[in-house]
Amino acid sequence: MIDWNRIVRDHGPMVFGVAWRILGHAADCEDVVQEVFLQAHRIGQEQPVRHWPALLRRLASHRALDRLRLRKNHLSLDGLDLTTSFDSPDDVAIERELVDRLREAVAGLPEREAAVFCLRYFEDLSYQQIADTLDINAGAVATALHKARAKLETLLMPVRQGE
């Protein structure tokens, strides 16, 4: 029998953290946490789960990315804790705009590339941890990460005037 109270208690903060780093909006993160645990409950009833943290992290990143894609161009930065060494309000505004652009660009990536990018850079997981989480091999992680970075670099390049 699965002890759901323990699973939620032990892994709830991690699930919320994954969603927070992708979405940066508390209400959206709370919705993602509910969706993740409902989906995990269904999965747990259908088949044995080898590693709950990996399953929950994968579900959280996918559900958060789904929600990010639904936002389209309306991305909120309410409550986002930006650690910055900038002093001027202009610098803070520029940094917030960059965060906004990054979220929008990540939402436009194919699902695997977006998940790998988020797990690597938002969750700071190793290639092997990402492979275990997404149930793919480390080579597929490296390939997806390379593709994601290349696409993001193109999407986030500053637009030159006159072009």
Side-chain angles (χ1 to χ4, degrees):
M1 172 150 290
I2 299 170
D3 183 356
W4 285 105
N5 289 331
R6 184 185 59 76
I7 289 173
V8 171
R9 184 182 60 248
D10 291 352
H11 304 294
M14 179 268 301
V15 170
F16 186 90
V18 169
W20 177 260
R21 283 181 283 285
I22 294 171
L23 297 167
H25 186 266
D28 284 345
C29 294
E30 290 166 1
D31 291 344
V32 166
V33 169
Q34 285 184 339
E35 292 170 14
V36 165
F37 283 109
L38 285 172
Q39 188 174 5
H41 185 267
R42 275 185 246 125
I43 291 170
Q45 289 181 330
E46 295 171 5
Q47 63 193 34
V49 174
R50 287 184 323 186
H51 194 248
W52 282 104
L55 172 67
L56 294 170
R57 184 173 278 121
R58 183 180 72 223
L59 292 175
S61 65
H62 285 276
R63 294 301 72 79
L65 287 166
D66 290 345
R67 189 164 293 272
L68 185 61
R69 286 183 182 102
L70 290 174
R71 284 186 189 173
K72 302 215 185 318
N73 292 329
H74 178 63
L75 298 173
S76 172
L77 292 175
D78 294 347
L80 182 61
D81 181 26
L82 295 174
T83 55
T84 180
S85 61
F86 301 126
D87 293 324
S88 80
D90 288 343
D91 289 337
V92 172
I94 290 169
E95 186 173 351
R96 287 184 181 202
E97 182 180 333
L98 290 173
V99 168
D100 192 33
R101 288 183 61 212
L102 177 61
R103 282 198 175 115
E104 186 177 338
V106 169
L109 292 175
E111 187 171 335
R112 178 179 284 182
E113 292 170 19
V116 167
F117 182 86
C118 290
L119 291 171
R120 178 69 187 114
Y121 293 107
F122 297 163
E123 292 298 307
D124 199 28
L125 297 183
S126 70
Y127 282 33
Q128 190 57 54
Q129 289 170 315
I130 295 168
D132 294 343
T133 297
L134 299 178
D135 200 23
I136 58 178
N137 65 49
V141 170
T143 300
L145 190 56
H146 175 76
K147 288 179 179 180
R149 284 191 300 234
K151 288 175 185 173
L152 289 172
E153 183 178 346
T154 301
L155 290 170
L156 296 173
M157 285 178 84
V159 178
R160 294 185 204 149
Q161 289 186 343
E163 289 185 18

